[in-house]
Amino acid sequence: MSGSAHRVGIVLVSHSAAVAAAVAELARGLAGGGDTAPIAPAGGTPDGGLGTNAELIAEAVKRVDEGAGVALLVDLGSAVLTVKALLAEGDELPEGSRLVDAPLVEGAVAALVAASVGGDLDAVVAAASEAYDYRKV
C-alpha cells in the first residue's frame, strides 16, 4: 500500500509517556516497520508525570488523523474515562474517532497491522478487540 492512501490512525493512551512510546515502537517493529499506518503515543501528563491528559490525547489524534478514522487504545482507569469524555464532547476529536476495547500491547500490534494493510476502522477495531483471544497458557 502506498503512503498516500488514507489509513486509520492509532493513538495509544497510557498513564505513562514511556509505556505509550514503547508500545508504539514495539507495534511498529512487529508490524514490519517501514510504511506503517500512523500511530502516536499519548501518555502521561504535560509535566512528565503519571496520569492522562485530554490535550495530549487530542493532539495525538490530530497527528494521526488521515480522514479514515482513529482508533484509541487505552491502558486503564482514568485513561478510559478521559477518552470517553473527549468523545462525548463531540468537537474535541475528529469524526470517526473510536475507543477500542482491547489490551494495549497486543491490541496495538493487531490494530497497526490491520491499519497498515488498508483495513477500515471497523476492521482495525475488530483486529484489536480479537487480541483478547490470544491465550498465553
Side-chain angles (χ1 to χ4, degrees):
M1 167 156 284
S2 73
S4 62
H6 295 297
R7 294 179 291 193
V8 173
I10 299 163
V11 171
L12 306 176
V13 181
S14 172
H15 284 68
S16 163
V19 167
V23 173
E25 180 183 351
L26 177 67
R28 274 190 214 98
L30 294 178
D35 184 29
T36 62
I39 185 169
T45 60
D47 64 1
L50 293 176
T52 55
N53 179 271
E55 287 180 20
L56 291 178
I57 295 166
E59 288 169 10
V61 169
K62 288 182 179 93
R63 282 197 311 273
V64 302
D65 181 26
E66 295 184 350
V70 176
L72 292 104
L73 286 84
V74 301
D75 58 8
L76 27 100
S78 65
V80 176
L81 298 175
T82 303
V83 170
K84 283 184 175 181
L86 284 167
L87 290 168
E89 288 177 29
D91 60 349
E92 290 296 315
L93 301 179
E95 190 174 335
S97 297
R98 195 180 307 172
L99 174 61
V100 182
D101 184 14
L104 184 65
V105 175
E106 296 91 332
V109 173
L112 187 58
V113 169
S116 296
V117 299
D120 66 9
L121 184 59
D122 287 337
V124 170
V125 168
S129 299
E130 287 167 11
Y132 274 130
D133 296 335
Y134 300 159
R135 307 300 341 146
K136 295 174 185 169
V137 293

